[in-house]
């Protein structure tokens, strides 16, 4: 089988005859392209041509396959240059296999020398068939002189059929005679500058050689250069770069000038001195990047020597009046003059003078600084009486600075001490004003800056697994440690591990360095051998010996063992209608595909059994944006437990945008949280990585993000002394109000805390907690109304902190002391009627329960896709949290039924509920809400 092609004489073509299986010798070529070569200034033009007669039917052996390729090559080179041709392919594993190779020397003869290659590509075809790929051969032409590459070309041809003719794009090869570098602008380069270097290659006739790729490199000096010629200047001094173009080499040498002065700082601005008083200015020349420069000359001058004189940097008051002080440098770019002015007031009275007008404190949240002293005098040495001080805060927050004068006459000392208190991380300023109430004088100000600093670990949550039996390799994870203020280094770092739950000893920590600036890291290595199935957790607490830096905590989870299933619902975010046939993909955090299913006609889906672990869930549907639900924890069990996920609100494809507003509130009081940090991220439950935008809450706890494209976002809120919180918001209209973000305040008296939140409907979901009472078989029941809200300081040591009845929540219950036994948490859809419904079902309420152990968020629960009034969420015994996640028509029993007493307990529970329904708010009960069996 073959496709005949005519021989192409006099066309500057090289014709290669290739066989894809068994090669049969091709008939000897009968014709060669011949031309008369002229003497050109640039050298000799070698026009190469060859063709082969096509085999006839009689010549072909059975099964022969022919592949033909037409390649036009135009070579511009001087005599003596060598043209090499090679046909090769790359075998699996990266091995290069040469199929044919030949070369010729460019001469001044009257006829071209033929360059004819015939290659058997059967080895390529076999290798391609084995790896289920396409046989691709390379045709390489290389022009050389004395072994040095002048120019080269590589063409790839896919052998896709038994018989084919392929026309390969033309090739032009040149021998470059000269390389000229454009030196414009290189004489004025300074550190920090960048420039794109340009070079032009020409042949011997002066014609520009097109399409050559330069190869720039550094020879010497404080610069960097990429192969493409992108130059970056690092330091001053002589520098040389080199270019290789078409086999020719050329160097460019230039001198990098010192960084020029772009601006001048003169401090202070607008100062005062008394007659006879003196003042020393602080002058700093700076680069365009703002860096302070040394070794530069700056001269100070005065606009009126009759008012003030200048010697060096020292001004002396001569007479009352106003003088302009000018700082000048002639070392600007290209010799430009740079100037900066300030105003000096010469007063007829003395000026209060301080030995330092700026003081800084770096403290952790809640920390107190070491006292700092400032010496107070006058510029003339005269004694001032009645000296007093006052403080102005920016921003206007609670007073954080203590200041006092040792005496109210000069000279004296001002003592300053800062206390961060409840201030969030950030920068705060206080101005201490010093003045006299008795003697005429000019006051002075000391600016005090407070940096509230903490260690920041990134990421703050790390998950290992899922691991299965026999796993022996556990790759570690590195967590970066830095401070919230870059200027404050880390020092004296230590880490300790606190295990949550039964599994211990499975985590090893190693600090890269105990002292570092601006950052270091801690390496976390899991060792799950012997750890029971399920999720084990640990807190890695990083502390610093430096008193100005507070600690941070990394939550580490280790998942091992039994499988489980995810389930959920995919709906159109605009009208809440289910989406049938959507694709749901479950991937590990390293993006490995684990499972893929499609939604039913109701939009529901359930995954296949998956090993317990943390996964990302992706949803795609035609006409809709891709939806990503990040970091979902799958709980496994011997019976393959199902973990319901939040409904996937899928947004139609759109270029529209809108505004997001929301609020951040205290989960225990429902009060607004002011000055909380708020981040906006793409996707659902996305709490790591670089945010799209950041802001802070106002006096009402509110925030907003304007002009965001329609889509699904995560809002993450943080505040000192609170656990971080997040919510998912779907933007499908010009303005949307996000669900409230509730933050759990920290404390030492929190054993467990459960925060129930939901959407606008239904108006009232009630949180219920039942649990054991110490030294008795009775069970408590904490819920609304008031008489059953429990107590945080006495039995049952569990309290309903806040109850919401107008939608959104929160309903928060805190256990302050845990008693041995089983605690059960469930939710009552308060207005629900099993006959005719009447309110939003739990599955459509956007309800969720956040579970905190101490100050750490350890789990989140969402309702399953079933109907009913009561949602039984989980049980807790000791440190073991057991998901239940079922919805039904009846409330769960107040206690687990012992053997043989199921009927009795059911009767008692029914009587209890009947009593509650008959007179729910009009009676009290001993021990709060306590039921005895």
């Amino acid at each position: 089988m073959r496709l005949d092609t005519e021989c192409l004489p006099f066309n500057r073509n090289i014709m290669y005859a290739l066989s894809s299986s068994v090669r049969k010798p091709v008939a000897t070529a009968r014709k060669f392209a011949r031309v008369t070569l002229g003497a050109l200034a640039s050298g000799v033009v070698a026009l190469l041509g060859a063709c082969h007669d096509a085999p006839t039917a009689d010549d072909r052996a059975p099964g022969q396959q022919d592949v033909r390729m037409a390649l036009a090559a135009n070579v511009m080179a001087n005599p003596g240059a060598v043209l090499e041709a090679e046909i090769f392919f790359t075998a699996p594993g990266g091995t290069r296999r040469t199929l044919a190779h030949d070369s010729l020397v460019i001469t001044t003869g009257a006829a071209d020398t033929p360059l004819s290659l015939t290659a058997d590509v059967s080895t390529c075809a076999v290798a391609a068939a084995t790896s289920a790929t396409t046989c691709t051969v390379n045709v390489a032409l290389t022009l050389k002189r004395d072994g040095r590459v002048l120019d080269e070309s590589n063409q790839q041809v896919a052998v896709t059929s038994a018989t084919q003719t392929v026309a390969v794009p033309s090739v032009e090869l040149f021998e470059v005679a000269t390389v000229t570098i454009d030196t414009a602008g290189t004489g004025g380069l300074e550190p920090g500058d960048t420039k794109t270097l340009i070079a032009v290659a020409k042949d011997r006739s002066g014609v520009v050689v097109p399409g050559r790729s330069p190869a720039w490199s550094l020879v010497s000096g404080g610069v960097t250069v990429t192969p493409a010629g992108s130059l970056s200047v690092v330091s001053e001094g002589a520098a040389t770069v080199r270019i290789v173009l078409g086999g020719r080499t050329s160097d460019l040498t230039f001198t990098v000038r010192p960084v020029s002065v772009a601006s001048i700082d003169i401090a202070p601005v607008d100062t005062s001195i008394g007659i006879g008083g003196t003042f020393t200015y602080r002058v700093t020349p700076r680069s365009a990047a703002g860096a302070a420069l040394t070794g530069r000359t700056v001269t100070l001058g005065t606009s009126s020597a009759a008012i003030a004189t200048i010697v060096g940097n020292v001004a002396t008051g001569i007479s009352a009046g106003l003088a302009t002080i000018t700082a000048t440098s002639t070392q600007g770019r290209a010799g430009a003059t740079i100037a900066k002015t300030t105003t000096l007031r010469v007063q007829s009275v003395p000026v209060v003078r301080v030995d330092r007008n700026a003081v800084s404190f770096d403290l952790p949240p809640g920390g107190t600084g070491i006292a700092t002293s400032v010496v107070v005098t006058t510029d003339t040495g005269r004694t001032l009486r009645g000296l007093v001080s006052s403080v102005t805060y920016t921003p206007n927050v609670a007073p954080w600075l203590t200041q006092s004068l040792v005496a109210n006459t000069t000279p004296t000392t001002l003592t300053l001490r800062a206390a961060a208190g409840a201030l969030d991380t950030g920068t705060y300023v206080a101005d201490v004003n010093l003045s006299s109430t008795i003697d005429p004088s000019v006051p002075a100000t000391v600016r005090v800056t407070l940096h509230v600093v903490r260690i920041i670990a990134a990421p703050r949550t790390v998950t290992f697994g899922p691991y299965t039996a026999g796993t022996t390799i556990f790759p570690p994870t590195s967590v970066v440690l830095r401070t919230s203020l870059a200027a404050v280094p880390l020092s004296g770092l230590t880490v300790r591990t606190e295990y949550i739950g039964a599994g211990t000893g499975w985590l090893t920590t190693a600090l890269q360095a105990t002292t570092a600036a601006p950052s270091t890291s801690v390496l976390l290595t899991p060792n799950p051998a012997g750890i029971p199935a399920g999720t084990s957790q640990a807190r890695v607490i990083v502390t610093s010996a430096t008193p100005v830096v507070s600690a941070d905590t990394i939550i580490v989870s280790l998942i091992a063992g039994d499988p489980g299933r995810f389930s959920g619902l995919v709906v159109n975010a605009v009208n809440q209608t289910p989406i049938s046939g959507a694709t749901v993909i479950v991937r590990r955090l390293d993006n490995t595909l684990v499972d893929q299913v499609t939604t039913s006609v109701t939009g529901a889906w359930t995954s296949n059994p998956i090993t317990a672990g943390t996964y990302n869930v992706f949803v795609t549907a035609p006409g809709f944006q891709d939806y990503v639900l990040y970091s979902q924890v799958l709980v496994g069990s011997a019976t393959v437990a199902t973990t319901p996920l939040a409904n996937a609100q899928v947004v139609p494809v759109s270029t529209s945008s809108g505004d997001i507003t929301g609020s951040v509130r205290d989960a225990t009081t429902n009060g607004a949280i002011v000055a909380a940090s708020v981040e906006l991220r793409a996707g659902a439950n996305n709490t790591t990585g670089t945010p799209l935008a950041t802001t802070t809450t106002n006096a009402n706890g509110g925030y907003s993000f304007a002009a965001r494209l329609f889509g699904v976002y995560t809002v993450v809120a943080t505040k000192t002394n609170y656990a971080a919180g997040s919510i998912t918001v779907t933007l499908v209209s010009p303005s949307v109000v996000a669900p409230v973000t509730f933050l759990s305040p920290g404390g030492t008296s929190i054993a467990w805390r459960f925060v129930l939140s939901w959407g606008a409907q239904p108006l009232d979901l009630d949180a219920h907690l039942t649990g054991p009472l110490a030294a008795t078989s009775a069970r408590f029941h904490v819920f609304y109304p008031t008489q059953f809200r429990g107590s945080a300081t006495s039995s049952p040591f569990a309290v309903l902190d806040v109850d919401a009845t107008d939608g959104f929540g929160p309903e928060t219950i805190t256990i302050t002391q845990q008693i041995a036994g089983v605690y059960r948490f469930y939710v009552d859809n308060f207005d629900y009627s099993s006959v005719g419904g009447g309110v939003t079902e739990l599955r459509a309420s956007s309800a969720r329960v956040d579970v905190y152990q101490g100050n750490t968020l350890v789990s989140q629960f969402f309702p399953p896709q079933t109907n009913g009034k009561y949602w039984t969420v989980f049980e807790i015994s000791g440190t073991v949290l057991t998901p239940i996640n079922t919805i039904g028509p009846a409330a769960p029993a107040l206690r687990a039924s012992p053997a043989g007493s199921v009927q009795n307990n059911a009767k008692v529970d029914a009587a209890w509920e009947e009593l509650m329904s008959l007179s729910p708010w009009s009676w009290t009960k001993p021990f709060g809400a306590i039921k005895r069996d």
Side-chain angles (χ1 to χ4, degrees):
M1 294 173 56
R2 61 182 172 81
L3 177 64
D4 291 336
T5 182
E6 294 182 355
C7 180
L8 304 176
F10 307 104
N11 63 355
R12 307 181 187 179
N13 283 280
I14 301 173
M15 177 73 76
Y16 296 97
L18 309 177
S19 173
S20 60
S21 58
V22 179
R23 177 177 59 83
K24 182 177 181 180
V26 182
T28 304
R30 299 192 182 96
K31 313 187 190 98
F32 296 121
R34 302 175 64 88
V35 298
T36 301
L37 299 178
L40 303 179
S42 60
V44 175
V45 180
L47 303 177
L48 310 178
C51 71
H52 300 276
D53 287 343
T56 66
D58 294 336
D59 295 326
R60 278 197 322 274
Q64 177 180 337
Q65 299 170 340
D66 292 341
V67 178
R68 301 228 176 173
M69 182 188 68
L71 171 66
N74 188 9
V75 181
M76 302 288 290
N78 292 317
V82 177
L83 178 64
E84 294 183 354
E86 180 186 13
I87 300 176
F88 68 92
F89 76 97
T90 302
T95 304
R96 176 168 169 155
R97 300 284 181 84
T98 298
L99 301 176
H101 181 272
D102 200 356
S103 64
L104 64 81
V105 178
I106 305 299
T107 68
T108 57
D112 293 330
T113 303
L115 184 60
S116 175
L117 294 183
T118 301
D120 180 351
V121 297
S122 58
T123 54
C124 175
V126 171
T130 302
S131 59
T133 58
T134 300
C135 169
T136 300
V137 296
N138 295 261
V139 179
L141 298 180
T142 306
L143 186 63
K144 295 182 178 180
R145 181 178 297 280
D146 300 326
R148 185 179 76 251
V149 175
L150 304 177
D151 204 354
E152 56 189 343
S153 169
N154 185 62
Q155 308 272 353
Q156 289 189 328
V157 178
V159 180
T160 58
S161 62
T163 302
Q164 67 184 96
T165 298
V166 180
V168 181
S170 298
V171 175
E172 290 185 311
L173 301 179
F174 291 85
E175 180 176 11
V176 173
T178 61
V179 175
T180 303
I181 301 175
D182 183 358
T183 61
T186 56
L189 291 174
E190 297 180 1
D193 288 349
T194 59
K195 179 179 176 58
T196 300
L197 299 175
I198 299 175
V200 178
K202 296 181 180 179
D203 64 16
R204 291 191 177 274
S205 64
V207 176
V208 174
V209 176
R212 304 303 96 182
S213 297
W216 293 89
S217 61
L218 174 66
V219 177
S220 62
V223 300
T224 63
V225 64
T226 67
S230 180
L231 180 73
S232 297
V233 183
V234 178
S235 59
E236 61 186 76
T240 299
V241 293
R242 176 170 296 164
I243 184 173
V244 177
L245 191 59
R248 295 290 181 180
T249 300
S250 183
D251 287 351
L252 171 64
T253 299
F254 53 93
T255 300
V256 178
R257 299 176 52 185
V259 176
S260 59
V261 176
S263 63
I264 300 173
D265 287 348
I266 181 169
V269 176
D270 297 334
T271 191
S272 299
I273 61 176
I275 296 175
T278 61
F279 182 80
T280 302
Y281 283 99
R282 300 187 305 276
V283 180
T284 306
R286 295 189 180 277
S287 68
L293 302 175
T294 59
R296 307 303 193 272
T297 301
V298 179
T299 303
L300 294 184
T302 176
S303 63
S304 175
I307 296 174
T309 59
I310 288 286
V311 177
N313 286 7
V314 180
T316 301
I318 303 300
S319 62
L322 189 67
T324 298
I325 307 300
T326 303
T328 304
S329 173
T330 59
Q331 295 174 315
R333 189 133 200 168
T337 298
I338 308 298
K340 181 68 177 288
T341 62
T342 184
T343 301
L344 176 64
R345 293 176 177 84
V346 180
Q347 311 280 353
S348 58
V349 296
V351 176
V352 178
R353 186 70 69 213
V354 292
D355 68 336
R356 51 196 301 196
N357 54 18
V359 175
S360 180
F361 292 94
D362 297 329
L363 297 176
T368 300
I370 300 173
T372 297
S373 297
V374 177
V375 177
V376 184
T377 58
T378 66
D379 65 330
T380 61
R382 173 182 166 184
T383 298
L384 289 180
R385 299 166 300 154
L387 198 65
V388 293
S389 60
S390 61
V391 183
T392 302
Y393 292 96
T394 305
N396 188 15
V397 294
W400 49 264
L401 180 67
T402 301
Q403 50 87 24
S404 61
L405 289 165
V406 173
N408 62 356
T409 59
T410 59
T412 187
T413 300
L414 173 68
T415 303
L416 304 171
R417 184 190 297 269
L423 293 177
D424 200 358
T425 54
T427 299
Y428 304 86
V429 174
D431 288 320
V432 181
N433 188 65
L434 300 168
S435 61
S436 172
T437 59
I438 299 176
D439 294 331
S441 62
V442 177
T445 299
V446 179
R447 170 151 290 193
V448 184
T449 302
L450 169 63
H451 300 294
V452 181
V453 191
R454 64 180 176 85
I455 296 174
I456 297 178
R460 282 199 178 95
T461 58
V462 174
T463 300
F464 293 104
Y467 294 123
T468 56
T471 303
T472 57
I473 299 176
F474 314 114
T477 292
S478 182
V479 176
V480 176
L481 306 175
R482 61 180 179 85
T483 59
S484 59
L485 184 67
V488 179
L490 296 166
S491 64
L493 290 179
T494 59
V495 294
R496 73 176 189 274
T497 302
E498 296 179 355
Y499 292 95
I500 306 170
T504 61
W506 51 265
L507 184 65
T508 301
T509 62
L511 278 167
Q512 180 189 37
T514 58
T515 299
S519 66
T520 184
S521 62
V522 58
L523 194 66
L524 309 176
T525 305
N527 180 22
I531 297 300
T535 301
S536 301
Q537 288 190 313
R539 300 184 187 93
V540 176
I541 302 171
V542 185
T543 58
S544 171
T546 304
V548 303
V549 180
S550 67
D552 200 9
T553 300
I554 307 163
I555 303 300
V556 185
S557 299
L558 175 67
I559 302 172
D562 295 326
R565 299 177 188 265
F566 280 129
S567 67
L569 186 69
V570 178
V571 298
N572 186 326
V574 175
N575 54 26
Q576 298 302 301
T577 57
I579 298 177
S580 173
T583 301
V584 181
I585 299 172
V586 180
R587 294 182 180 273
R588 292 195 178 96
L589 299 186
D590 63 2
N591 212 36
T592 301
L593 177 65
V594 174
D595 192 31
Q596 179 172 319
V597 296
T598 57
T599 57
S600 68
V601 292
T602 64
W605 64 276
T606 300
S607 73
N608 294 297
I610 302 170
T611 304
T614 301
Y615 298 91
N616 295 330
V617 179
F618 301 78
V619 179
T620 61
F624 291 87
Q625 299 179 24
D626 289 346
Y627 173 94
V628 186
L629 179 59
Y630 291 93
S631 302
Q632 298 303 294
V633 177
L634 179 66
V635 178
S637 71
T639 57
V640 191
T642 298
T643 300
L645 301 180
N647 293 350
Q649 303 280 344
V650 184
V651 177
V653 173
S654 173
T655 57
S656 300
S657 61
D659 301 336
I660 299 172
T661 60
S663 61
V664 181
R665 308 187 75 83
D666 189 302
T668 60
T669 67
N670 206 18
I673 299 180
V674 181
S677 298
V678 184
E679 299 174 344
L680 185 70
R681 302 174 184 275
N685 195 46
N686 183 8
T687 59
T688 61
T690 303
L692 300 174
T694 59
T695 187
T696 55
T697 55
N698 58 27
N700 299 317
Y703 64 87
S704 64
F705 294 102
R708 310 308 304 187
L709 291 174
F710 282 8
V712 178
Y713 297 91
T714 299
V715 172
V716 180
T718 57
K719 174 74 174 180
T720 299
N721 298 325
Y722 285 84
S726 64
I727 57 95
T728 296
V729 56
T730 305
L731 179 62
V732 289
S733 63
S735 180
V736 65
V737 178
V740 178
T741 306
F742 294 108
L743 301 188
S744 173
T748 58
S749 60
I750 303 172
W752 295 86
R753 175 170 287 154
F754 319 118
V755 182
L756 167 65
S757 61
W758 63 96
Q761 295 293 333
L763 294 177
D764 192 5
L765 296 182
D766 282 336
H768 291 250
L769 180 69
T770 66
L773 288 164
T776 176
S777 61
R779 299 273 296 174
F780 73 79
H781 186 180
V782 168
F783 64 109
Y784 188 84
T786 303
Q787 58 265 41
F788 304 124
R789 296 180 75 150
S791 172
T793 57
S794 61
S795 184
F797 299 103
V799 62
L800 176 65
D801 297 294
V802 61
D803 173 79
T805 59
D806 296 318
F808 301 106
E811 294 248 344
T812 301
I813 296 178
T814 301
I815 300 174
T816 56
Q817 292 184 29
Q818 188 174 0
I819 307 300
V822 176
Y823 291 78
R824 183 179 296 114
F825 183 90
Y826 70 92
V827 176
D828 176 9
N829 193 347
F830 183 74
D831 296 323
Y832 184 87
S833 171
S834 60
V835 180
V839 296
T840 304
E841 291 282 357
L842 280 160
R843 60 183 172 79
S845 65
S846 298
R848 86 178 197 191
V849 177
D850 292 344
V851 180
Y852 295 85
Q853 186 176 17
N855 299 320
T856 303
L857 178 66
V858 295
S859 191
Q860 289 181 330
F861 292 90
F862 300 92
Q865 297 301 313
T866 52
N867 295 337
K869 178 177 173 59
Y870 295 98
W871 173 24
T872 305
V873 187
F874 56 82
E875 291 182 349
I876 291 175
S877 180
T879 59
V880 178
L881 175 69
T882 303
I884 299 177
N885 235 355
T886 60
I887 290 180
L894 292 185
R895 63 178 296 160
S897 301
S901 64
V902 174
Q903 183 177 3
N904 291 336
N905 274 318
K907 290 180 179 179
V908 173
D909 288 340
W912 172 264
E913 296 300 333
E914 180 182 4
L915 180 61
M916 285 294 299
S917 65
L918 291 174
S919 182
W921 324 125
S922 61
W923 49 273
T924 60
K925 192 174 182 68
F927 302 100
I930 300 173
K931 176 184 174 183
R932 299 179 182 275
D933 288 346

